[in-house]
Structure formats: structure tokens, C-alpha cells
Amino acid sequence: MASSPEPNPPDSQPRQEQGLEQLKIANYYLRVALDQIPEGIVLLETGPLEGTGPKVIFSNAPAACLMGADPTKGLRGLHLADLVTSEAEARAMLATLLSAAEGGSAECECECALQTFYGTGPKMCRWTVRAVFSSMKKLLNFTIAIAPVAAPAENSAVQHAPKKIHDLDAQSEQLRTENLAALAKGIAHDVNNLLGPIAIRISDIVQKLPQDSPLVSELSLAYAGISRAKQFTSQIVKASKAKSGKSEPTDLSCLIRDTVQLSQAGANVSVRVHVPEDIDWAVADSVKVSQVLQNLIMNGIQAMPHGGYMDVEAKNLTIAPGKDMILQPGRYTEIIVRDRGTGIAPENLERLFHEVFTTKADGNGIGLTTCKRFVEDHGGDIRVTSKVGVGTEFRVLLPSIARPATHSAIPAAPVKPAALVRGEGTVLIVDDEDDLRRIAGTVLQRCGYRVYGCDNGQEAAEIYRNLARAGERPDVVFMDLTLRGGMSGAETLHEILCFDRSARVVLTSGSVTEDVQVGYLDQGFIDILSKPYGAGELSQMARKITTVNAVGVES
């Protein structure tokens, strides 16, 4: 791999660029410091105090967490009226405080409710407002510190204890879900990074072997296994982040297969799936249906401690008028979960969907009750038959519509690695996985590229600038999200784009799922190459970007 150009000595760089670099570093450390403050910190512009109020220009991570917003996006762009409840009194109270702070008042505090985004209701907080002035006494912005207020220990509070306990449970569940999603994303990232060097090595070896070699078939099967592992980690991240939404047409074929794959992971029970190609789409909340199916499958697995196999089937069903005592006439999809476990005693079947009933030593009895409520809320029903020593069958019926004629199935994982393609140009690889970066560089050099590499954002930005000044601006940059040092891949992208708005940076990561890709493309990445990728995929992406760059076509 070509060596990285030596950085210019400090005295040869323009003084203005040095100052800008120091300012950016200081700004980064300031943001990190503000995120460590336990209180929520919000900076408001000096806009009009009436109406919706001034706009947020900065917020630290605790402020975003208090409102249930994404800490990486923050509250920027929201107005003062968006932070508080819809009560005009609360907005007027804060507007009065802002006005008093602008007038020089030192006592600018109040208590009012902070709006939240995750459905647990407004949160009572203490708001401390300060006006920030320049040395010339010009108002620069307003700074607001927001801290939750502990509930008063009054007798009247006892009357509302059940609601507060419910709110606390909801917040605890929200925190647990967010932690689970973060954990799943981290594990997926690390697993995909570990698979990365293996995938690119195997696919590279396949390219070198004669195509009639018996090793090609064996290595291709190993590569296909890596591709399936990549899909599996993506499904785990997606499932952990999924939130309930509205009922809408849902592709049960994909939902059932994905849920089964996740639910049987690590179990000694094999789940066989039988879903016809013409299965209707259920009109349902896909997250809740997946939760119901997962619960039923895991119950079946627990009922089969010695292993074996169970079945999950789906079929279309039409209920004629007067043929069902519970469901309305119409079109339904039936999902059948059948285990071959210990079965349920007849005297327990009637109590199965009661919250207080459970046959498990560590159970709380709410799993099947929640499943039944979810299904009934969709206008469906859940039914059970069982025989001791034979097994149990659950039938979930959901309203459905005809499967769209234009819908196509999701393509299966590739069985054989993609072919290498040659190209030309300059490539910069930024990745903190040394082995992957080295192998990727070797592959691209063999394909005809000049390759540079590094493991951190600061060096990447410097290499890019030096190459551009030397007349060898990189035609494509492959950028990982997590890097060594203080700058992330997204921050490094911003640094490079500030120097060269036409820079072509491809995101490479093991934790970017399909549902968040648009957000990264909006940041300025021109494409995404998910880890683990093969040698052929890497070379084809490089050829695609450098070819577009050569002909001057805007992406």
C-alpha cells in the first residue's frame, strides 16, 4: 500500500488554517464537556419572544434524553414552544423569564413541564435562564439549564401513586429498550468487524483460484455463511430498535421468517416454516405481530426441553357471515404455531389468557395475556388447542388484504463472491481495523488503484488535504464510522467536506441498517458499503464511484 504523505510542517501552513483547526478541536472538546453535565443545557437564538419563541441552536445529550430525542441529532431547530407543554401559561412564563434575563435580572428560574417524545407525559422541571452578552453588551443567546424536579412528598401525592408508578415503569421500560438497542448495535458492529477480514480474504482467494477448482465451491459456501451472518446481525439490530406504530399492510412472509430465525437462535429446537407464496398481507402493526409470534415460539421451545422440531404455518382464510361467533366476516390470515411439547392440562386451558395465571416457576403470567390483547386490538383473535404429552397449537387470526401483485421477494444471500473489477484512481481507506484495511488496500492495488490508508479521522483529513494540494485528490474515500482518536467517521466526513465540497466518501460500517441509511446519505456520504464486504464488492464500489467521478456525473 502506498505510504501516506508526510504532513506539512506547522510553519508552512497558512496561519488562518491553523487557527481554524485549533478552533474545531476546541469546539469538539467543548461539546464533549457539555455532554458530561447532568443537567440539560439548551442554547436559544435571540429571536422574537412572542409566538413560538426563539429557536434552539444547540443542546447537549442530557437535554435530548430528557425529552426522549435522539442524542446524536439533539433538539436543534425546535422552538421554545416545542420544549414545553401546549399550555400557553407555561410558554408565557418562560418568555417572561427570557425577557427578564435580557434585562439583567439575576433571578430567572421557574418550574414548568417539559414535553417528551416517548409517550410518558410531560415532565416537571426547573428551568434556569441566563442571557449571554458580548463584551460590547450585545445579546448573543439565551442559555437554559433544565433539571427534573422531584415529586413533592405530600399527602395528595399518595392519591396519584398508581399513575406515578405506571409512569416510572414506562420510563424504565423505555430505558431498557434503548439500552438493548444500543447493546445490539454494538454487538452487531463488533461481530461484523470480526467477519470483515475473513469475508474479504475468502472472496479474494476465490478470485485467484482456477474456477474449476473444487476449493471454489467450498469457499463459496463459507462466504455464503458469512453473508447470512451479516443478515442475521442486521435483523437483531432492527428488531431491538423497532417501535410500535399504526396498523398497515404487512408482509407476513418476511416477518414470519425473520422472527423465527431470531426466536430459535441458540435453541435445541428446530422451527420449520411453511408459508405459501400467495399469502395475504395482514393489516396490523408489524412490531406487535412479531412480538406475539416470538412469544408463542419461545413458549413452544420452553415446552420442549429435550429438543425436537416445531412448525410455524400461515394460510389465507375467508370467514363467511354467521360462521364465527367472535370475528367479523371477511378476509383473514391465519398463523399457526405448533409445538410437540408437554402440552397443557384441560383445566388450565380456560385460565391460559388470565393475567394472574402461569405454570412457569419464574413466570409472571402476562405474556399470553398481552398477546391476546395485541391480536384483539387488531380485530383478530388468538385460539389454542392442546393435548398433554402431545403438544400445543396456537392459531392467530388477523384481518388481511390481497398480496400486492408487484411485490417481489427479498433476494437471498449470494452463494458465490462477486467478481473483481479493475479500475484506476486514488483511494483513501480510513478504518481502525488494521487487518481489514491492509487486505482491502492490497485488493484495490491489485485492481489498479493507488491506495492510502490510516486509522483515525485527524490523519485522514490531513492526508486528504495533502493529496489534494499535491494534485492527487482521492477519487473515493472508504470511511468507517468508529475510528481511533477523537473524531468519528461522520465528523471526519464533515472535516473533509469543509475542505472539498466535491469529496466522494463511502460509508463502511458493520452497524448501519437499512432503516438509518438515508440519514447518513443526508450527512454527505455518497454511498454505503456494509461490513463484512467481499473483495469483489469493494472493487465494484470503487469502480462505480471513480467512473462516475471521471465522467463528471453528479450522484
Side-chain angles (χ1 to χ4, degrees), residues 166-198:
H166 174 75
D167 289 348
L168 182 60
D169 289 343
Q171 293 179 31
S172 298
E173 179 64 19
Q174 174 71 17
L175 181 61
R176 188 193 70 81
T177 302
E178 291 175 353
N179 288 343
L180 178 63
L183 179 63
K185 183 177 180 181
I187 292 174
H189 173 270
D190 290 347
V191 169
N192 286 334
N193 270 353
L194 291 173
L195 292 175
I198 303 173

Side-chain angles (χ1 to χ4, degrees), residues 52 71 334 346 473 540:
T52 57
E334 184 179 37
R473 187 192 73 163
Q540 290 181 14

Side-chain angles (χ1 to χ4, degrees), residues 32 35 50 67 97 113 140 268 316-317 379 405 435 461-462 473 483 513 518 529 552:
V32 172
D35 284 342
E50 64 275 2
M67 293 192 69
L97 285 185
L140 298 178
N268 62 345
N316 299 326
L317 184 68
D435 198 16
E462 189 172 0
R473 187 192 73 163
L483 302 171
T513 53
V518 174
L529 181 61

Side-chain angles (χ1 to χ4, degrees), residues 470-520:
E472 195 183 352
R473 187 192 73 163
D475 296 285
V476 57
V477 179
F478 289 102
M479 180 80 67
D480 192 11
L481 270 184
T482 57
L483 302 171
R484 293 174 185 156
M487 293 173 61
S488 68
E491 290 171 327
T492 306
L493 166 72
H494 178 72
E495 185 85 3
I496 291 175
L497 290 178
C498 285
F499 174 80
D500 179 8
R501 296 301 302 175
S502 62
R504 309 183 72 78
V505 184
V506 175
L507 171 62
T508 61
S509 176
S511 60
V512 176
T513 53
E514 293 181 2
D515 56 323
V516 298
Q517 288 186 0
V518 174
Y520 287 107

Side-chain angles (χ1 to χ4, degrees), residues 73-91:
K73 297 179 181 178
L75 309 176
R76 186 170 182 171
L78 296 180
H79 290 268
L80 177 64
D82 299 320
L83 305 183
V84 296
T85 61
S86 58
E87 301 173 6
E89 180 181 353
R91 294 201 300 269

